[in-house]
Amino acid sequence: MPRAAATRPPQLPLVKSRPPEGRSASRALAVLGLSSFVVGTSEFVVVGVLDRIATGLQVSVSTVGLLVTAYALGVCFGGPALTVLTIRLPRRTLLCGALALYAAANGLAAVSGGFAVLLVVRAVSGAVHGLFVGVASAAAASLAGPERQGRAVAVVFGGIAAANLLGVPLATYAGHVLPWQSVFAGIAVLACAALGLTLAVVPPVANSGHGALRAQTRYVLRRPPLLALAVAILLFCGQFTVFTLLGTYLQRVTGVSGGQVGAFLLVFGAAGSVGTLLGGRFADRDTGRTLMVAGVVLTLTLALLFPAGHHPLTAAATLAVFGLFGFGLAPALQLRTIELAGPGGDLAATLGASAGNAGIAAGSALAGWFSTRYGLTALPLAGAGICAVTLPLVWVLRRARATTKEV
């Protein structure tokens, strides 16, 4: 067997129709990136205004923290559920419907007068988030054509990375100088703008999957796609075992003052944005190799943070590499999951987003337990150990082939 065939399984065409070319496709991808920026901003902004919401609704901060949990659970379980219910709908219709529902949910959050309503709204928003990311990444790959799918998927994930870098800080600032409801109102307005641009710019996109739910499920419930989802859970779990308490780690272990923590997180976020775009480019060449290299470097970097985290300069440099490769593997992993699912690509795309969020939730929980039992200093070793477990799985995943026949 030729070496190329052994290292890179033949890429499946995600659409039957010819994708739009030139500026038309670029504009459509830019709109998908902007839309994911809006969705990403809404996901994380609650963390920055927890105290304001708690004061406004007269509940404890720990209770308001359930809004984060509700959103994550919505992504993990509601996203696949919505995909099941809408599996036959055209992708463009789903994109518009998701943005419309997202705008309505955030608008309701802005005028809600009680915590219970806000909790339900956040769970619904999370479900729409899961649906949107899956549909948007599959649609982006379809718009770009076979040779640029990785870069197209990176635009969607790049929008979420940019939300962490720019959108969340700006929205957090607004939530502290204006009533906290203005944050949700602003996101609702941005979602309406994204919806209008989607209607005006994004063309009809052929589905990446084929057939009804039962047919797509048969493709997803095969070993290669399931292995890709397991890798997603473990890789994000390993990263967020460290990232969840990164601010506290920098203050207590690195010795960074509270005001400087933001600068370190900015370095991490900027590197993550660059890594997302570069990861998409390398994924176009070889998704399996990109995952393998990124996984190895990420594991070594987290392990290196154990000694490097005690000094500000080495900690900053290590965090930059962490962000670069941690975010850089996301487009390749999502694209590989879609590839391996073949005709089940639509369902697999949403499940990929859900698997990542399941890993984030698991990593966040593990971070609290591990730090309480073993201390903050060893936290990077725990994250590195989890990521190391994925390396043999990624090696298998790299050589796996998608099935185009009925199963």
Side-chain angles (χ1 to χ4, degrees), residues 111-284:
V111 299
S112 63
F115 178 75
V117 175
L118 191 57
L119 190 67
V120 173
V121 166
R122 289 294 291 175
V124 172
S125 298
V128 178
H129 174 122
L131 172 68
F132 177 83
V133 172
V135 175
S137 57
S142 299
L143 286 166
E147 301 303 320
R148 300 175 63 88
Q149 290 175 346
R151 276 167 280 190
V153 173
V155 170
V156 175
F157 283 89
I160 297 175
N164 289 317
L165 185 63
L166 297 174
V168 172
L170 290 175
T172 300
Y173 175 77
H176 282 272
V177 298
L178 298 171
W180 63 265
Q181 293 91 339
S182 64
V183 173
F184 295 105
I187 291 172
V189 172
L190 289 176
C192 289
L195 171 60
L197 289 172
T198 300
L199 288 168
V201 175
V202 178
V205 184
N207 291 15
S208 59
H210 306 288
L213 172 65
R214 184 176 179 182
Q216 292 206 37
T217 301
R218 288 202 303 269
Y219 286 98
V220 174
L221 296 181
R222 293 175 55 249
R223 188 173 69 174
L226 290 176
L227 184 60
L229 295 175
V231 168
I233 293 173
L234 289 171
L235 280 175
F236 282 97
C237 178
Q239 292 187 66
F240 274 79
T241 297
V242 179
F243 182 74
T244 300
L245 296 177
L246 185 56
T248 305
Y249 179 91
L250 289 169
Q251 293 182 70
R252 297 184 183 178
V253 178
T254 310
V256 176
S257 65
Q260 294 174 322
V261 170
F264 278 75
L265 295 179
L266 181 63
V267 169
F268 178 85
S273 298
V274 174
T276 302
L277 299 178
L278 290 179
R281 284 186 171 274
F282 283 107
D284 283 330

Side-chain angles (χ1 to χ4, degrees), residues 57-95:
L57 297 180
Q58 298 182 340
V59 295
S60 67
V61 172
S62 59
T63 299
V64 176
L66 292 174
L67 296 177
V68 179
T69 305
Y71 196 101
L73 291 175
V75 176
C76 292
F77 300 105
L82 287 180
T83 301
V84 166
L85 295 174
T86 59
I87 199 75
R88 290 184 176 274
L89 293 179
R91 301 302 93 185
R92 184 173 181 269
T93 301
L94 270 181
L95 289 171

Side-chain angles (χ1 to χ4, degrees), residues 10-33:
Q11 186 164 310
L12 291 175
L14 296 184
V15 294
K16 293 182 178 179
S17 59
R18 186 178 181 182
E21 298 179 353
R23 293 183 178 179
S24 177
S26 297
R27 287 195 296 266
L29 289 173
V31 170
L32 291 178

